[in-house]
Amino acid sequence: FVAGCATSRSIVDIKVAPGPDPAHGKPVKIVQVTDSRKFEVTPRTQSIPSLNEEEIKDAGITSRAIGRKRNTYGKALGDFLLPEQRTVQDLVREAMTKALREKGYSIVERSSVAYQGALPLEADITQLWAYMTPGFWSLTLECETMVTVKGEVFPTTREEKIKGYGRMSAQAAFESNYVEVVQAAIEDFVKNLKEKLK
C-alpha cells in the first residue's frame, strides 16, 4: 500500500508561493508562529501526530514532521519530514502570507522601517498532519490543519481558529500522494483564512 520504502523516513519539501505584496496594502507583521502539536507514540487514531519515543523529545524532528506511513493493518511505519532548516512554522507562515496578501494586506518584515508600526499577528498550530486509513479496495489519505490566528484583522473578534482539510483516495500511497494531500489542506487553510479576514 505504501509505495517506496514504507519503513524509512521520507524527506518532502512543501512550499507555498506567497505572491507579491499589494502596492498600498495595510501593513501587518507576523510576529510569532508557534507549533503546539501534541505527539504520541501510540495514538488512538491516525490523525494524531506520532513518532517514536526518542524522536518526540527532539524538537528538531517534531518541528519538521508532517505525516506517518502505515501498512494495510494501520501499523505505524516510517514518517514524512520537511527538509532540514525548514519547519511547519515556515509552511504556515507562508500560507498566512499568501492569504493576507491576496486579501490586500502588506506583509512587513523585521528589517523594514515600517515594522514597528505594523499590525501584529500571531499564530498557534495545533494540528497539521497527514495520515492514511486502509480500506478494502483502496486507501484514504487525509491531512488536517488547525491554526489559531490572533490579531486585529477579523471583523468581530481578535482570534479565529482556521481549519484546512485535504482528502484523496488511491490504490497506493506514493510519496507524491502525501505531498498532494498536504498541499490541498494548506490551500484550503489559505481559502478559509481569506474568508475570515476583514
Side-chain angles (χ1 to χ4, degrees):
F1 269 69
V2 180
C5 187
T7 58
S8 68
R9 171 162 293 160
S10 293
I11 305 299
V12 294
D13 198 5
I14 299 171
K15 294 181 179 178
V16 180
D21 241 2
H24 303 288
K26 184 172 183 177
V28 298
K29 55 187 176 185
I30 303 173
V31 296
Q32 181 172 300
V33 179
T34 306
D35 183 4
S36 296
R37 297 176 299 161
K38 304 299 183 185
F39 285 79
E40 298 180 12
V41 177
T42 54
R44 65 185 183 280
T45 175
Q46 297 99 314
S47 63
I48 296 174
S50 65
L51 292 167
N52 70 42
E53 192 167 358
E54 288 303 312
E55 289 173 329
I56 286 177
K57 302 173 186 176
D58 186 349
I61 297 295
T62 58
S63 65
R64 297 165 53 209
I66 58 169
R68 195 81 187 263
K69 304 175 188 179
R70 294 181 181 272
N71 65 14
T72 55
Y73 303 101
K75 178 179 172 58
L77 301 172
D79 48 46
F80 289 91
L81 264 61
L82 295 172
E84 290 187 19
Q85 311 304 319
R86 184 159 172 77
T87 66
V88 294
Q89 293 101 309
D90 296 326
L91 187 57
V92 168
R93 184 182 290 271
E94 289 171 353
M96 289 177 63
T97 299
K98 179 179 175 66
L100 287 158
R101 284 179 173 173
E102 291 183 356
K103 198 70 174 184
Y105 290 88
S106 177
I107 307 301
V108 179
E109 300 299 336
R110 191 176 295 273
S111 57
S112 171
V113 293
Y115 185 83
Q116 190 66 29
L119 195 66
L121 289 179
E122 295 183 8
D124 185 37
I125 307 163
T126 53
Q127 178 76 335
L128 197 163
W129 197 247
Y131 56 95
M132 182 192 85
T133 302
F136 188 73
W137 294 111
S138 65
L139 54 86
T140 301
L141 292 174
E142 297 172 85
C143 181
E144 300 177 25
T145 71
M146 174 71 80
V147 181
T148 300
V149 179
K150 300 177 183 179
E152 303 289 345
V153 290
F154 304 112
T156 60
T157 180
R158 282 199 74 257
E159 179 178 316
E160 289 281 359
K161 295 184 183 298
I162 311 297
K163 297 181 179 179
Y165 181 68
R167 183 181 188 276
M168 68 182 298
S169 296
Q171 296 299 315
F174 291 100
E175 286 184 8
S176 58
N177 294 142
Y178 275 94
V179 170
E180 184 177 340
V181 80
V182 173
Q183 288 176 327
I186 295 297
E187 289 170 7
D188 191 48
F189 168 81
V190 170
K191 177 182 73 69
N192 292 336
L193 176 55
K194 281 172 61 179
E195 289 175 354
K196 293 285 187 179
L197 294 170
K198 63 184 177 183

